[in-house]
Amino acid sequence: MLISIEDLFTVVYAIVDDWYQSTGKQRLGRTVGAKPEFSDSEMLTLMLSVDFFEFTSERRFVAFVRANYRHLFPKLLDQSQFNRRARHLRGLLDELRKHLAAELGVTFERHFLLDTTPVIVVGYRRDKRHSDFYGSAEYGYCASRRMKYYGYKLVMLTTLEGTPYAFELVPANTDERQAADEILDTLEPGSIVWSDKGFIGEDWQAEWARQGVRIQTPKRQNQHKQNSPEFDRLLNAVRERIEGVYDLLKEGGRSVEHTLAHTIEGLCSRILAKITSVILRRFLRRFFGIDVLTYTVSA
């Protein structure tokens, strides 16, 4: 059965507002000034819904909503106001992300996938000195795609089912093991992390093992101790799952690789929104039977 865009907006708003009224608004604390006419729940709904459509920018999405669904969002903000509110609500959006992930059971998981993907912010040959990313982003190289780029690495842990668990944005030239340290620290002892050759390092893996986190990777050919063929087949099968997660982060109108953000704050806000949107997709499918890729509802 098909679901209309209007009904999809309504369901997302109901999920967001239920959480906001019970928990979210308490996280904001006391605010000064008049209550905004366009509510935080409406803002969060649109921040998450933009990635259900093939719009390459928020500007086009907001124009689409204004032209077709203004009756659902009568106090819709103009583009500049929308961007400012989105950045302002980033902390609240992160709390919503954690809530949705917890509802999907991530806190009970002990097996995780670890990987990185490039986040490009400025063309490789363009002058960077007048960019907001100058001094923060760096030149990097993605070995799997043989691609040089300027920007950041998104390093992320997901469950085996593909629900994002923890993530970090680091300069593109950061060693992947160093990038992973921040998010591996969020895991409980007894956790097992499945990853690729970028995270090979006997001493590094041994240090995490002493902390109760086992990191499983392929072996280099020159390593004395090799995995069994059966183990490598299992590792490859498990590792394939994370490709589906990164595909979701790259598909739709906006991709984490090319967010079109012009500031660091805007970049972080959009990446967080994209990741939360991926979690919301899984939430909608599990608890409501809604597939936002096909606009269908299972019986």
Side-chain angles (χ1 to χ4, degrees):
M1 181 177 68
L2 294 176
I3 184 172
S4 68
I5 293 176
E6 181 169 333
D7 287 344
L8 181 59
F9 276 138
T10 301
V11 171
V12 173
Y13 175 81
I15 293 169
V16 170
D17 194 57
D18 282 350
W19 171 80
Y20 181 85
Q21 297 301 332
S22 64
T23 305
K25 63 182 179 182
Q26 300 172 21
R27 304 293 173 88
L28 287 176
R30 297 183 63 181
T31 57
V32 178
K35 183 178 180 180
E37 293 185 343
F38 194 65
S39 71
D40 292 339
S41 293
E42 289 174 297
M43 270 298 305
L44 292 170
T45 295
L46 293 185
M47 288 170 67
L48 294 176
S49 298
V50 60
D51 291 306
F52 297 165
F53 302 90
E54 296 292 327
F55 292 103
T56 56
S57 69
E58 284 180 353
R59 182 179 300 277
R60 293 181 179 180
F61 174 68
V62 171
F64 166 76
V65 174
R66 178 172 288 108
N68 298 279
Y69 299 98
R70 188 63 180 268
H71 59 287
L72 295 179
F73 305 97
K75 301 296 184 180
L76 181 63
L77 304 175
D78 63 35
Q79 182 59 43
S80 61
Q81 292 173 321
F82 187 94
N83 286 337
R84 286 195 297 271
R85 282 284 296 282
R87 293 193 296 269
H88 174 71
L89 291 176
R90 191 174 73 204
L92 191 63
L93 180 63
D94 196 38
E95 293 297 328
L96 176 57
R97 173 189 67 84
K98 294 174 184 177
H99 164 74
L100 295 173
E103 290 293 304
L104 290 169
V106 298
T107 54
F108 301 105
E109 295 287 343
R110 289 298 176 266
H111 286 260
F112 297 89
L113 303 170
L114 172 66
D115 206 351
T116 65
T117 194
V119 177
I120 302 166
V121 294
V122 181
Y124 192 78
R125 298 184 183 278
R126 284 182 55 189
D127 180 36
K128 316 297 189 299
R129 289 172 294 178
H130 302 293
S131 165
D132 190 61
F133 304 106
Y134 184 70
S136 172
E138 291 290 348
Y139 290 94
Y141 180 72
C142 178
S144 63
R145 294 159 61 178
R146 300 179 181 177
M147 178 183 71
K148 297 179 181 179
Y149 70 99
Y150 179 81
Y152 304 88
K153 284 179 183 176
L154 176 65
V155 55
M156 187 166 67
L157 283 167
T158 74
T159 67
L160 294 186
E161 288 187 345
T163 301
Y165 174 77
F167 61 95
E168 189 70 42
L169 196 64
V170 299
N173 62 351
T174 306
D175 181 273
E176 295 199 337
R177 290 164 296 185
Q178 180 184 346
D181 283 336
E182 293 294 326
I183 58 175
L184 289 173
D185 197 44
T186 65
L187 297 178
E188 295 289 334
S191 297
I192 299 175
V193 177
W194 304 80
S195 195
D196 62 12
K197 292 182 179 180
F199 297 93
I200 293 176
E202 292 184 358
D203 292 341
W204 180 73
Q205 289 176 314
E207 175 59 31
W208 276 108
R210 285 191 286 271
Q211 299 182 49
V213 177
R214 291 169 53 199
I215 301 172
Q216 306 284 16
T217 65
K219 302 291 186 181
R220 294 192 180 96
Q221 291 183 353
N222 61 357
Q223 287 185 267
H224 176 69
K225 187 177 180 179
Q226 294 288 314
N227 296 328
S228 68
E230 294 78 13
F231 182 86
D232 277 339
R233 282 195 293 270
L234 173 62
L235 179 61
N236 289 335
V238 171
R239 288 261 331 127
E240 287 178 1
R241 299 188 180 193
I242 199 169
E243 296 302 324
V245 181
Y246 278 107
D247 285 345
L248 286 176
L249 291 173
K250 297 170 189 177
E251 71 179 16
R254 297 191 307 175
S255 165
V256 291
E257 289 189 359
H258 301 278
T259 66
L260 304 182
H262 298 291
T263 65
I264 296 173
E265 190 177 17
L267 175 69
C268 294
S269 177
R270 293 180 185 187
I271 288 179
L272 174 60
K274 186 77 176 184
I275 291 172
T276 309
S277 180
V278 168
I279 297 173
L280 178 59
R281 289 186 188 200
R282 296 184 177 278
F283 186 91
L284 288 169
R285 187 180 299 117
R286 177 179 297 184
F287 296 110
F288 294 86
I290 297 174
D291 187 338
V292 300
L293 297 179
T294 59
Y295 295 99
T296 57
V297 182
S298 60

